[in-house]
Amino acid sequence: MENRWTGGNEEKRNLSLGGHVGFDSLPEQLVSKSVTQGFCFNILCVGETGIGKSTLMNTLFNTMFENEEASHYQNGVYLRPRTYDLQESNVRLKLTIVDTVGFGDQINKEDSYKPIVDYIDTQFENYLQEELKIKRSLFNYHDTRIHICLYFIAPTGHSLKSLDLVTMKKLDSKVNIIPIIAKADTISKSELHKFKIKIMSELVSNGVQIYQFPTDDETVSEINASMNAHLPFAVVGSVEEVKVGNKAVRARQYPWGVVQVENESHCDFVKLREMLIRVNMEDLREQTHARHYELYRRCKLEEMGFKDTDPDSEPFSLQETYEAKRKEFLGDLQRKEEEMRQMFVNKVKETEAELKDKERELHEKFEQLKRMHQEEKKKVEDKRGYLEEEMNAFNKRKAAAETLSLSQPVKKDKDKKK
Amino acid sequence: PNQTGRNRSHTVGKLTEKQYVGFATLPNQVHRKSVKKGFDFTLMVAGESGMGKSTLVNSLFLTDLYKDRKLLNAEERINQTVEIIKHTVDIEEKGVKLKLTIVDTPGFGDAVNNNECWKPITDYIDQQFEQYFRDESGLNRKNIQDNRVHCCLYFIPPFGHGLRPVDVEFMKALHEKVNIIPLIAKADCLTPNEIKKLKDRIREEIDKFGIKVYQFPECDSDEDEEFKQLDKELKECTPFAVIGSNTVVEARGQRVRGRLYPWGIVEVENQSHCDFVKLRNMLIRSHMHDLKDVTCDVHYENYRAQCIQEMTSKLAQDNRMESPIPILPLSTPDVDTEKLIKMKDEELKRMQEMLNKMQQQMHDKEQ
């Protein structure tokens, strides 16, 4: 394959160095840069109210994060993110803990997973928006994408709850899930063994993908592989200290004994801390970005109509596609506007025509009534004329009758004298 | 000394020797007859899957009722409906026979949508009442089977901060049909302080929501102080925080029912570990018969009275006897015809106005 720059071929060659060049300091340079920048880590805790989410966070990070006890009577599930700035040696960590308040309390839990999925998608969306900006500042963008979801399983000793299965299935393609058994000091060793097996088999048979600790790096592959076999971790949390021997350790004191949080034969807390914080935190961040976020981004862009290759199999430029899409969209908008205007004009014309019709009708009626009125008037006039005639005739006859009666009475007297 | 024999008054003099009548043996007779007849008791257990109900029942009656139980997995439970399953066993102790029926309610609260998941349970209880009512009103009442539920143990999960909506709704739907005894399940996940806090919270919420749980009857005033003290402690201990176990472990040199942990052994019958003993004593050793009495005298009677009332009011409706049924109002005229009439009225009015206007115009023209 010809490379037009050098004219030679692109085969890779291994060269041996004659002395110490010094680029072996690259990892240190990278580390020093990231330490200056500070790290960011976001944990989502999903579990029913009272299962021990806040206590476990306090125990993991050895800090009393403020939180009030949640009530069981929320109408729905809502997510409560809280951000804290922590520092250990010279490393700064911006830690965000997201709590699911009200999870598992409703009688009808069919929609319980939705607020959680929406929250995760929103964080992805925000990052995508930033990425697509023309002027972007990704290096100091506060990344709120969830790096790990700790799913708290109630220690029933039987199997997962139906809600657990439904929720984890909805989350496994969007976030790294580590299932943990909460309040594990209520399960005996033999019961725990059976419980863990049952849970893992249920997850596998239902196709739920949980986070696997990576085994590709030889320095950590052995410990990661052995930890994978201990999932789900059975944890106990406590911020109270109890005197055991001559030390004060974090523990829970019962009448029958003391459960020590950091005792590996009592619970898997140490394993969780090791895996989550000390060994794989960076891998979790990477997986979130490289796998879950990329999947979201691809789906979103495909939805919007982008493709990697156009019908002629030429690589598309994102910029061109974007411009084309934008033009199309604006064109659509304009067209819609025109349509609406047209419709409006038509409607106005229609109404005008209707009104004109009505007006004409009224006019006709008016004319008709007028005519009728004229006719009636004429009739009345005729009658009046007739009446007048009669009156005249009557008066005449009356006058005649009177004159007649005036000349008559003399004759009568004469008749009487005879 | 009396004047005449007739004025002698009869006084009940003090007998030097108490004459024994013998009705003091009645309690013994009752005892003897009841032993011969045997007892029966129906206990319902309700609560989400995994709360330890079966284990507790086994621990209470020191037997294994659930030998071949099949548990559903999570996928099957997504749309699960509530079933009612009865287990009946005949057990005997010191000559006293007990026919024990345990009513199980698998599936309660396990589905994703649990709307009205208590309905099959309330229906079951009502059915038993109905059956008994019919039997009681029948002609041949020799062998009536009493399948009424005498007590319902409700298991509250210890993982939360108090009662959850489903707990409240369930208890409110049942508290007037059956004696409810709420229990805090799997109490070995709570320290003594946490137990106290949770109990206070639950008692508060039961008051707040007006839930009527089973109340222990008051002690008789002539009971001795020790008994009264025990009774008081019992009442202040509710709801009982219980732990059950199917296995026997070795603790303090004895073999006891318990749970083995790396950090210690929980003994089911150790009163400083949990309230199991209190529950057992109350449920079986002292208040079993009171539970039956309250079921018969209160819950069943309420049901019966309600039933009869409904029947008579229905009869009254059919026979049109004097009954407080309101007379139906006259049917309102059709909404459409009314509208039409209104429209025509308006039209007439308009035409009238137009005519008047025209007349006015003509009148003006003439003048």
Side-chain angles (χ1 to χ4, degrees), chain B residues 94-127:
Chain B
K94 292 207 187 129
V96 178
K97 297 197 214 42
L98 175 66
K99 178 160 141 309
L100 175 69
T101 306
I102 307 283
V103 181
D104 251 326
T105 56
F108 175 79
D110 284 342
V112 176
N113 182 351
N114 291 311
N115 268 336
E116 304 238 307
C117 60
W118 48 84
K119 197 150 183 317
I121 302 176
T122 50
D123 285 347
Y124 176 81
I125 297 178
D126 281 341
Q127 264 169 34

Side-chain angles (χ1 to χ4, degrees), chain A residues 74-109:
Chain A
Q74 306 280 348
N75 274 336
V77 179
Y78 75 93
L79 276 82
R80 186 172 62 181
R82 292 221 174 106
T83 307
Y84 306 95
D85 282 311
L86 305 175
Q87 178 154 3
E88 201 175 50
S89 319
N90 60 341
V91 179
R92 284 177 296 122
L93 178 69
K94 206 181 202 46
L95 177 72
T96 301
I97 300 179
V98 185
D99 221 342
T100 50
V101 181
F103 187 76
D105 280 329
Q106 297 77 36
I107 294 183
N108 183 352
K109 296 173 271 208

Side-chain angles (χ1 to χ4, degrees), chain B residues 97-327:
Chain B
K97 297 197 214 42
L98 175 66
K99 178 160 141 309
L100 175 69
T101 306
I102 307 283
V103 181
D104 251 326
T105 56
F108 175 79
D110 284 342
V112 176
N113 182 351
N114 291 311
N115 268 336
E116 304 238 307
C117 60
W118 48 84
K119 197 150 183 317
I121 302 176
T122 50
D123 285 347
Y124 176 81
I125 297 178
D126 281 341
Q127 264 169 34
Q128 308 316 307
F129 279 158
E130 197 192 313
Q131 178 75 45
Y132 193 83
F133 182 38
R134 243 182 285 150
D135 289 347
E136 198 187 46
S137 326
L139 292 174
N140 187 352
R141 307 201 296 182
K142 208 149 192 227
N143 290 319
I144 303 182
Q145 282 252 38
D146 185 6
N147 289 321
R148 298 173 293 181
V149 180
H150 299 124
C151 175
C152 174
L153 297 177
Y154 185 67
F155 290 68
I156 300 170
F159 313 124
H161 299 309
L163 294 177
R164 301 161 306 161
V166 69
D167 302 327
V168 174
E169 292 300 310
F170 175 82
M171 289 201 272
K172 287 199 77 139
L174 262 76
H175 63 170
E176 285 175 346
K177 295 185 188 288
V178 71
N179 298 315
I180 298 182
I181 297 181
L183 303 173
I184 298 176
K186 295 206 164 176
D188 58 350
C189 95
L190 298 168
T191 61
N193 274 343
E194 290 168 349
I195 291 185
K196 183 167 181 314
K197 219 171 92 172
L198 187 60
K199 284 187 180 183
D200 288 341
R201 178 74 77 85
I202 292 179
R203 273 203 297 263
E204 211 181 281
E205 290 179 339
I206 285 179
D207 256 339
K208 184 169 102 169
F209 290 106
I211 300 172
K212 303 191 206 116
V213 297
Y214 173 70
Q215 300 292 330
F216 300 104
E218 291 300 325
C219 271
D220 291 325
S221 49
D222 56 354
E223 295 280 358
D224 59 40
E225 275 310 309
E226 195 190 319
F227 189 81
K228 281 198 200 161
Q229 181 62 23
L230 281 174
D231 191 61
K232 183 158 165 280
E233 275 176 26
L234 206 71
K235 291 190 182 148
E236 287 173 357
C237 217
T238 55
F240 295 132
V242 293
I243 301 170
S245 173
N246 284 328
T247 50
V248 176
V249 294
E250 178 117 6
R252 294 177 288 139
Q254 290 182 313
R255 291 179 63 75
V256 288
R257 276 197 177 226
R259 292 174 62 73
L260 181 62
Y261 289 115
W263 47 84
I265 301 178
V266 181
E267 296 163 47
V268 168
E269 294 190 26
N270 185 332
Q271 294 222 47
S272 58
H273 287 188
C274 71
D275 299 327
F276 173 81
V277 172
K278 291 197 177 73
L279 172 68
R280 183 186 57 194
N281 289 348
M282 184 234 90
L283 182 64
I284 302 177
R285 297 187 186 177
S286 48
H287 291 77
M288 196 180 238
H289 217 274
D290 184 64
L291 285 163
K292 291 184 69 170
D293 288 340
V294 174
T295 308
C296 296
D297 299 340
V298 177
H299 299 297
Y300 171 69
E301 288 301 317
N302 283 343
Y303 172 85
R304 183 174 169 277
Q306 204 181 23
C307 231
I308 294 179
Q309 247 182 358
E310 279 174 20
M311 281 203 292
T312 47
S313 72
K314 228 193 266 172
L315 270 171
Q317 253 186 16
D318 291 339
N319 294 348
R320 294 192 187 278
M321 290 198 305
E322 274 198 337
S323 58
I325 303 173
I327 306 171

Side-chain angles (χ1 to χ4, degrees), chain A residues 50 156 159 162 186 202 252, chain B residues 73 77 110 159 186 188 194:
Chain A
T156 58
S159 67
S162 50
T186 190
E202 281 194 323
R252 286 176 63 74
Chain B
N73 60 28
R77 280 191 265 150
D110 284 342
F159 313 124
K186 295 206 164 176
D188 58 350
E194 290 168 349

